[in-house]
Amino acid sequence: KDEITSHTHLMSDQEATNDTVAVVSEWKRKRQERKRQRAAEQEVKTNDIIQDDSYVPFVSVADRKRKEQEVLLEAAVVQDDSRSSRAKRRKQAFASLHEGDVTQETSTRVAELDEQEEERHTETQQEQNENEPSQQDTEHMAQSLLESAAALQSTRTDAQRANLHRQEEEARILKEASKVQTNALQAASELAKGVVYTEPMPSTWTVPRYILKQGPEVWEQTRKEWHMEVEGSDVPPPMKRFKDMKFPKPLLDALEEKKIKRPTPIQMQGLPVALAGRDMVGIAF
């Protein structure tokens, strides 16, 4: 009877192990399928970008500054060449005059050069005068703008002022968010070199087997229960206890001493993502 009982316990443990192995194998297979699907989607997006006429390739800051300097240098060289040519012609004309070889053509050429120089100087002076308003006009414009702003401010109600302040604050937040989106999770050197990461950071951490057995439906139920909104592919499941995250005992003891009994909602989802070596942008609200 003891042998039969031992054999039964052995078979039960073996079946449980086989079930766990099967669950892990199925999860790994699905993960590989999701990776292949993401790679295919990325390839399609890349092809669409290449075929799109409006696509503008990324240019690093260093390359952009270098090209701007080249354009400015080219323009300066062209301008210097033009000035040098005019100066050379004038020098030749005056050299002819100095040598006594004064012809009607030389005299006419010198007069034309002087006249052109005078016209260019006059046009430049006129453009500067037109583009630069007088001090009186500037003061009048400033006074008019201040009066208009004061009149508009006085006609606004408290609700309109609050609405305007809210719009300005939203615009400021959106501006900061747009800066974050352009360089999120990448250093300046990586952006300059065009580095693109396609694989997560290597990590030896794995999801506990009993969490994997719960399945995606239970994970989604936990997210709904704690009001979690998650976007992304192959997201690790949320965990309600620090112990489930496989933290070492000294760390668990330190949390217990601080009376920290369980993770916050963003920690339930964010810590497993970080432990898995994945990139994440988390917002707690």
Side-chain angles (χ1 to χ4, degrees), residues 245-267:
M245 301 175 191
K246 299 182 179 179
F247 285 132
K249 192 174 185 304
L251 183 55
L252 295 175
D253 293 340
L255 291 171
E256 188 175 354
E257 288 179 4
K258 296 291 184 179
K259 306 299 182 183
I260 302 175
K261 298 181 179 180
R262 66 181 182 186
T264 62
I266 192 172
Q267 291 172 345

Side-chain angles (χ1 to χ4, degrees), residues 16 24 36 39 61-62 93 96 113 174 177 179 204 218 233 281 284:
V24 174
R36 286 193 293 270
V61 177
S96 300
L113 291 173
L174 289 174
K179 291 180 180 179
T204 58
V218 177
S233 58
V281 175

Side-chain angles (χ1 to χ4, degrees), residues 106-175:
T106 303
S107 301
T108 304
R109 184 57 182 161
V110 171
E112 288 178 355
L113 291 173
D114 291 337
E115 187 177 351
Q116 290 176 3
E117 189 69 24
E118 185 66 25
E119 288 177 357
R120 280 194 297 272
H121 179 71
T122 303
E123 290 175 358
T124 303
Q125 191 67 28
Q126 289 177 353
E127 289 178 358
Q128 291 178 354
N129 293 335
E130 290 175 358
N131 294 332
E132 295 179 0
S134 63
Q135 184 178 1
Q136 185 177 0
D137 293 339
T138 304
E139 292 177 354
H140 179 69
M141 290 170 60
Q143 185 177 3
S144 300
L145 290 173
L146 290 173
E147 291 175 354
S148 301
L152 182 61
Q153 187 70 16
S154 62
T155 57
R156 286 177 179 158
T157 63
D158 293 340
Q160 289 176 339
R161 292 193 188 96
N163 187 29
L164 179 62
H165 178 72
R166 184 171 61 254
Q167 290 177 356
E168 292 175 351
E169 185 67 16
E170 290 176 355
R172 183 187 65 79
I173 293 173
L174 289 174
K175 185 177 180 181

Side-chain angles (χ1 to χ4, degrees), residues 89-104:
R89 289 195 298 269
R90 288 178 63 85
K91 187 176 181 181
Q92 289 176 352
F94 281 110
S96 300
L97 287 172
H98 182 69
E99 292 173 359
D101 186 12
V102 182
T103 61
Q104 184 66 26

